[in-house]
Amino acid sequence: MISKKKKITVNTIVALVFFALIAWAVVILLKPSNGNVQAKEDQWSEIKEKKSITIGLDDTFVPMGFRDSAGKIVGFDVDLAEKVFSNLGIKVNWQPIDWSMKETELNTGNIDALWNGYTKTPERAKQVAFSTTYHRSQLALVVKKSSGVKHFSDMQGKVLGVQTGSSGETALNSQPSVLKKYIAGQKAVGYDTFDKAFTDLNANRLTGLLVDEDYARYYIKQQANPNDYGIMTGGFAVSDDVVAFRKGDNGLRRAVDRELAKLEKSGYVHELELRWFGQSSQNLT
Amino acid sequence: MENVMTFLPGILAGLQMTLGVFFITIIGSVPLGILASLAMKSPYFTIRWLVNGYIWIMRGTPLLLQLIFIYYGLAMVGVSFTRFEAAAFAFIINYAAYLAEIFRGGLQSIPQGQFDAAKVLGLSKGQTFFKVILPQVVKIVVPSFGNEVVNLVKDTSLIYVIGLGDILRAGSIAAARDVTLVPYLIVGVLYLIMTAVVTITLRASEKHLNVWR
């Protein structure tokens, strides 16, 4: 059997080591954190030197950035970003992220920018810096033509679907007189991804779907009978797609803004819009 | 059918990640689980408390939350893992906690008389543990261990939250791109195949272990 003296000694040592570890952890937590200090500095010169930048995207996000059947990352935003950075002589590493963690990924320095149909909002302005707007899109109501819905007001008492956490859900609630007042129970059904909502629309469990017009057109194109669907726009505010940077990264942001302005002028952005959305975005001012 | 073929390359790339996390977790968590189960029987109450605290935290919070804390939370205080390291670390310490409880159950089912007998026969502590106790414990814990392993196959899908592309995420990508549920069906079948392999392997090892009785 172990002597009482030995027991007391070992217990004391273990307890001391444990409390020392706790104290150390507390000191580290209270200290201004490394990650954020680093994030406040301008990384632009470092990025130029390494000739590579890491951009975060949700690789399920069609048609802005997603994977084709060969597993390659493609999309409107991907083409545009690759062009901008190849003009700057920088290689892009695409890092798939969970979209709900996007600002955390950016501010912990795991990625240097977010470029994936990211919409400008006042809440996001508090956490990140925006580039200039490179694409405008508006919300669209997608219905099956067989439902007979031709105006927002035809949705009276009908079931509407939205993507949870999307700009569509926010707009629906912030401008209730446009569409929300008509729909069944004044409450939309939330889906985590748009393709699931589309499945429900096809199964007639939904009458309408409120989504970004770009996605709506892409998805309808994928259907067996694209002519069975109707798209209605208007009423909701137009959303601005921007690139997000850390607040301190002014050099990077300015370089991207310059390149975007050039590509806008040369008609390259317009060309990409035609290729990916089949039509140009709202006029940029 | 050609449909299925177009989805396979992406999904198989995801399968690699799933299997990577799976094997590294098994390799890491089994020894750690055995250590923790022994520590729970330690004569020193401080060690017992620490291990019980660790198991309480690991079993008492969702694995998803632990992944978020280990990858994003620790990065904020300057400890930065790569994505895969964070996933491996979180899964190993989480599964070790569950396995520790299973191994403890196995250890407790060995009667005290066997420890006493081994002592009388002059076996060392190491000999007693590795030659007498462990072989019996292994046999007892195989069914409940199998449960955890099957759970692990499916839990690997949680790594999407730190941006790793596992088989389920690969399925979601294909489903979003081509607006069809077929990729999910393929993913489901692949999960079934993986769990079938796990089940058959464990059954076979159980039979093999029966030699002792």
Side-chain angles (χ1 to χ4, degrees):
Chain A
M1 275 277 96
I2 300 157
S3 71
K4 203 174 175 191
K5 205 175 149 197
K6 194 178 168 196
K7 264 192 177 173
I8 291 170
T9 320
V10 174
N11 280 334
T12 315
I13 291 170
V14 172
L16 282 177
V17 170
F18 177 68
F19 285 117
L21 279 174
I22 295 275
W24 176 70
V26 168
V27 168
I28 284 188
L29 281 175
L30 292 180
K31 202 176 64 178
S33 57
N34 277 341
N36 286 351
V37 171
Q38 204 185 8
K40 284 198 180 79
E41 287 166 17
D42 198 334
Q43 306 276 305
W44 179 227
S45 53
E46 206 177 296
I47 290 168
K48 271 195 295 191
E49 207 167 287
K50 279 193 304 187
K51 293 197 181 309
S52 82
I53 183 168
T54 307
I55 302 181
L57 88 166
D58 175 354
D59 51 5
T60 64
F61 212 20
V62 289
M64 306 311 258
F66 61 104
R67 285 175 196 274
D68 63 14
S69 52
K72 197 173 170 296
I73 288 181
V74 294
F76 170 76
D77 281 348
V78 175
D79 281 354
L80 187 57
E82 299 260 0
K83 182 79 180 170
V84 163
F85 284 106
S86 81
N87 286 352
L88 292 166
I90 294 167
K91 196 182 155 294
V92 179
N93 299 317
W94 292 101
Q95 175 59 55
I97 56 167
D98 185 51
W99 198 240
S100 59
M101 286 288 159
K102 53 194 178 302
E103 284 88 7
T104 312
E105 293 270 10
L106 189 62
N107 287 323
T108 49
N110 294 320
I111 56 175
D112 302 312
L114 274 169
W115 196 327
N116 200 193
Y118 192 75
T119 310
K120 211 167 163 176
T121 68
E123 294 79 37
R124 288 171 172 177
K126 286 176 203 147
Q127 295 190 49
V128 300
F130 299 135
S131 72
T132 51
T133 303
Y134 62 88
H135 176 69
R136 288 236 163 93
S137 58
Q138 56 181 339
L139 289 168
L141 177 69
V142 181
V143 296
K144 276 175 134 177
K145 281 191 182 147
S146 57
S147 70
V149 174
K150 291 206 171 63
H151 306 280
F152 283 1
S153 56
D154 293 338
M155 283 297 288
Q156 187 71 49
K158 303 270 170 61
V159 184
L160 178 78
V162 291
Q163 184 177 357
T164 311
S166 69
S167 51
E169 191 183 37
T170 315
L172 183 74
N173 292 322
S174 62
Q175 296 167 265
S177 63
V178 180
L179 180 60
K180 196 180 179 183
K181 65 176 179 189
Y182 302 121
I183 60 174
Q186 272 77 56
K187 204 174 174 334
V189 183
Y191 295 86
D192 66 336
T193 57
F194 182 40
D195 56 303
K196 296 191 186 83
F198 222 99
T199 308
D200 256 8
L201 184 71
N202 284 334
N204 291 324
R205 282 187 290 217
L206 285 181
T207 308
L209 247 180
L210 188 64
V211 289
D212 198 278
E213 193 185 354
D214 299 332
Y215 307 126
R217 293 198 185 280
Y218 175 86
Y219 278 104
I220 289 172
K221 226 164 58 184
Q222 303 294 311
Q223 297 298 311
N225 301 307
N227 290 329
D228 290 355
Y229 301 90
I231 289 191
M232 275 153 273
T233 55
F236 289 109
V238 172
S239 62
D240 295 338
D241 283 358
V242 292
V243 188
F245 305 100
R246 278 182 291 270
K247 283 204 176 256
D249 274 341
N250 293 318
L252 173 62
R253 184 171 54 80
R254 277 195 289 265
V256 169
D257 279 352
R258 268 197 308 273
E259 289 302 320
L260 281 175
K262 277 189 222 161
L263 293 173
E264 185 69 49
K265 226 177 183 175
S266 71
Y268 185 79
V269 176
H270 178 69
E271 204 180 295
L272 282 184
E273 280 170 347
L274 286 178
R275 188 192 308 165
W276 287 102
F277 311 133
Q279 64 163 44
S280 183
S281 88
Q282 311 266 306
N283 282 338
L284 290 170
T285 44
Chain B
M1 206 49 212
E2 76 269 30
N3 229 352
V4 174
M5 294 317 290
T6 60
F7 298 133
L8 272 184
I11 290 177
L12 290 181
L15 183 65
Q16 263 183 347
M17 176 59 71
T18 296
L19 290 177
V21 173
F22 174 78
F23 282 113
I24 206 158
T25 306
I26 294 287
I27 293 167
S29 62
V30 170
L32 192 61
I34 292 175
L35 272 181
S37 69
L38 291 175
M40 271 190 285
K41 294 181 68 98
S42 158
Y44 308 111
F45 79 92
T46 43
I47 293 179
R48 286 198 306 268
W49 281 17
L50 282 182
V51 176
N52 281 324
Y54 151 73
I55 290 173
W56 174 58
I57 291 169
M58 289 299 134
R59 297 200 309 174
T61 55
L63 180 50
L64 191 69
L65 215 57
Q66 293 166 18
L67 277 164
I68 293 173
F69 272 114
I70 287 169
Y71 187 65
Y72 300 106
L74 290 186
M76 299 235 173
V77 295
V79 184
S80 59
F81 286 114
T82 66
R83 285 168 207 274
F84 188 78
E85 282 164 9
F89 183 68
F91 270 85
I92 287 173
I93 59 171
N94 180 279
Y95 269 81
Y98 283 95
L99 294 181
E101 283 289 301
I102 290 176
F103 295 146
R104 185 174 66 94
L107 282 175
Q108 279 174 349
S109 64
I110 308 292
Q112 183 60 34
Q114 291 201 16
F115 290 90
D116 298 341
K119 204 170 185 182
V120 170
L121 291 170
L123 296 180
S124 74
K125 267 189 177 170
Q127 282 173 323
T128 313
F129 181 71
F130 286 107
K131 297 272 161 69
V132 180
I133 308 301
L134 196 59
Q136 300 180 75
V137 170
V138 168
K139 193 183 149 25
I140 294 162
V141 301
V142 164
S144 10
F145 177 70
N147 248 347
E148 286 307 313
V149 178
V150 169
N151 268 336
L152 173 61
V153 171
K154 294 171 292 174
D155 273 357
T156 51
S157 63
L158 294 174
I159 58 176
Y160 78 86
V161 80
I162 56 175
L164 289 172
D166 74 311
I167 181 171
L168 190 55
R169 188 184 176 100
S172 308
I173 292 168
R177 183 186 61 229
D178 295 346
V179 201
T180 157
L181 293 177
V182 175
Y184 288 127
L185 194 68
I186 301 173
V187 168
V189 170
L190 285 172
Y191 272 119
L192 280 177
I193 294 174
M194 284 189 277
T195 46
V197 170
V198 165
T199 312
I200 291 166
T201 312
L202 285 164
R203 284 278 155 77
S205 66
E206 234 176 294
K207 247 184 209 149
H208 174 74
L209 292 169
N210 263 338
V211 171
W212 269 297
R213 285 247 154 126

